[in-house]
Amino acid sequence: MKLQYECISCIVAHVLNVTGMLGFNEDDKETAMRETLAYLSRADYEGCTPESMAELWGILLRNSDNNDPYAQIKSRCNMEALKMEQSAREAILASADSFVMALKYAIAGNLIDYGLEHPVTVEEQNRQIDSIVQTPFAIDDSNALRSALKTAKSVLYLCDNAGEVVFDKLLIEYLKREFPQIAPVCAVKGSPVINDATMTDALEAGLDSVARIIDNGDGAPGTVLHRTSEAFQSAFWAADVVISKGQGNFESLNGIKKENLFYLFMAKCDSICHIVHTPKLSIICLKGDS
């Protein structure tokens, strides 16, 4: 999916937010903003927004001595999500369709996103997740996903944000119980970027209790295949089913032709809503191109 013009204002707002969070002085803030604007003036608009964000994240980190500015926020998101883990598990098991409920909890966890211009706070997240799981899918390819999982042996699950990975754990836990032939592998980011989950964040959330965890070798807030490691690319193309979580993964993989590639995400911005033809904050289970 190409870089959308509408994304530019969000990118600039994000840079301002992070420079403030990191306590940049005015000179360093000006340097970071000038470098950001210079990059955007020459950016490849055929590339995707997560690829541009990876480049801009590099600019921010070059002007900071903190290589993981969101570390404390990510840990707090994990801890807050873990408080909801058992009640969410019970709701999944009690549902008339546990598969769909597990999918919805995983997508509801996608609300935890500090890459947004106006991020949802932890308190707001806790209030909203339970209501989101009662929302119908705006795009519902869950039956196609269920069918693909019945014959799959390998599933690659592309994680998105910290905190969210707790709900991913519940979905994978359910998949292993319902489809015991599956050997799930979860992929996290290879280096810190915004609040995307890294190996450290995934282990803190206990994701290793339900799946083998690998990293994708890259620090883009999505899955930009040509930037990822050869090992990750091999796992991606070899997987019988790929479950891609979050809007960033959709932005970077949309248009990739892969059998049984499924997107689970919440449509959070106008440009994405325009592409998928859904209202804002719709929850989506979408089968990709094959």
Side-chain angles (χ1 to χ4, degrees), residues 38-146:
Y39 168 79
L40 290 171
S41 72
R42 63 177 187 277
D44 178 9
Y45 281 72
E46 295 298 310
C48 60
T49 300
E51 186 167 11
S52 292
M53 283 299 300
E55 296 298 324
L56 295 173
W57 193 251
I59 290 171
L60 290 168
L61 295 188
R62 284 198 299 274
N63 289 280
S64 170
D65 58 1
N66 186 347
N67 75 332
D68 192 1
Y70 283 80
Q72 290 185 339
I73 292 174
K74 290 190 294 180
S75 185
R76 185 183 176 206
C77 287
N78 272 344
M79 294 303 104
E80 290 296 322
L82 284 167
K83 293 176 184 177
M84 302 179 69
E85 179 180 358
Q86 185 56 32
S87 62
R89 179 181 288 112
E90 291 170 1
I92 290 168
L93 293 174
S95 173
D97 191 334
S98 295
F99 175 67
V100 168
M101 184 61 77
L103 292 177
K104 287 184 175 182
Y105 263 107
I107 296 171
N110 190 221
L111 184 70
I112 308 168
D113 191 351
Y114 285 78
L116 297 175
E117 183 178 356
H118 303 292
V120 175
T121 66
V122 169
E123 291 76 18
E124 290 169 332
Q125 157 224 307
N126 289 350
R127 286 195 298 269
Q128 293 181 34
I129 283 176
D130 285 336
S131 64
I132 290 170
V133 298
Q134 305 303 324
T135 303
F137 285 117
I139 299 175
D140 186 2
D141 287 337
S142 59
N143 282 334
L145 174 55
R146 194 192 318 245

Side-chain angles (χ1 to χ4, degrees), residues 31-265:
T31 297
M33 186 53 65
R34 286 186 178 278
E35 289 184 26
T36 295
L37 296 174
Y39 168 79
L40 290 171
S41 72
R42 63 177 187 277
D44 178 9
Y45 281 72
E46 295 298 310
C48 60
T49 300
E51 186 167 11
S52 292
M53 283 299 300
E55 296 298 324
L56 295 173
W57 193 251
I59 290 171
L60 290 168
L61 295 188
R62 284 198 299 274
N63 289 280
S64 170
D65 58 1
N66 186 347
N67 75 332
D68 192 1
Y70 283 80
Q72 290 185 339
I73 292 174
K74 290 190 294 180
S75 185
R76 185 183 176 206
C77 287
N78 272 344
M79 294 303 104
E80 290 296 322
L82 284 167
K83 293 176 184 177
M84 302 179 69
E85 179 180 358
Q86 185 56 32
S87 62
R89 179 181 288 112
E90 291 170 1
I92 290 168
L93 293 174
S95 173
D97 191 334
S98 295
F99 175 67
V100 168
M101 184 61 77
L103 292 177
K104 287 184 175 182
Y105 263 107
I107 296 171
N110 190 221
L111 184 70
I112 308 168
D113 191 351
Y114 285 78
L116 297 175
E117 183 178 356
H118 303 292
V120 175
T121 66
V122 169
E123 291 76 18
E124 290 169 332
Q125 157 224 307
N126 289 350
R127 286 195 298 269
Q128 293 181 34
I129 283 176
D130 285 336
S131 64
I132 290 170
V133 298
Q134 305 303 324
T135 303
F137 285 117
I139 299 175
D140 186 2
D141 287 337
S142 59
N143 282 334
L145 174 55
R146 194 192 318 245
S147 178
L149 290 167
K150 287 178 180 177
T151 58
K153 292 184 178 179
S154 58
V155 172
L156 178 63
Y157 193 102
L158 308 182
C159 296
D160 189 22
N161 298 326
E164 182 179 346
V165 291
V166 172
F167 300 98
D168 296 333
K169 178 172 68 172
L170 294 178
L171 173 55
I172 295 165
E173 183 180 281
Y174 173 81
L175 295 183
K176 289 179 67 177
R177 185 168 59 249
E178 185 70 14
F179 310 103
Q181 83 284 359
I182 286 175
V185 175
C186 290
V188 296
K189 302 305 184 292
S191 57
V193 57
I194 320 178
N195 66 320
D196 284 42
T198 62
M199 186 68 71
T200 297
D201 306 313
L203 293 175
E204 182 181 61
L207 195 60
D208 57 319
S209 67
V210 296
R212 182 167 68 91
I213 307 174
I214 62 173
D215 73 65
N216 70 3
D218 185 41
T223 303
V224 186
L225 279 176
H226 70 86
R227 293 174 56 103
T228 60
S229 67
E230 290 185 10
F232 171 80
Q233 290 179 38
S234 294
F236 179 87
W237 293 112
D240 295 330
V241 173
V242 175
I243 298 176
S244 168
K245 272 298 303 297
Q247 187 172 278
N249 281 327
F250 173 75
E251 288 178 275
S252 47
L253 289 172
N254 184 36
I256 296 291
K257 294 188 181 300
K258 167 79 171 84
E259 189 71 25
N260 292 326
L261 169 58
F262 290 86
Y263 300 100
L264 301 179
F265 67 101

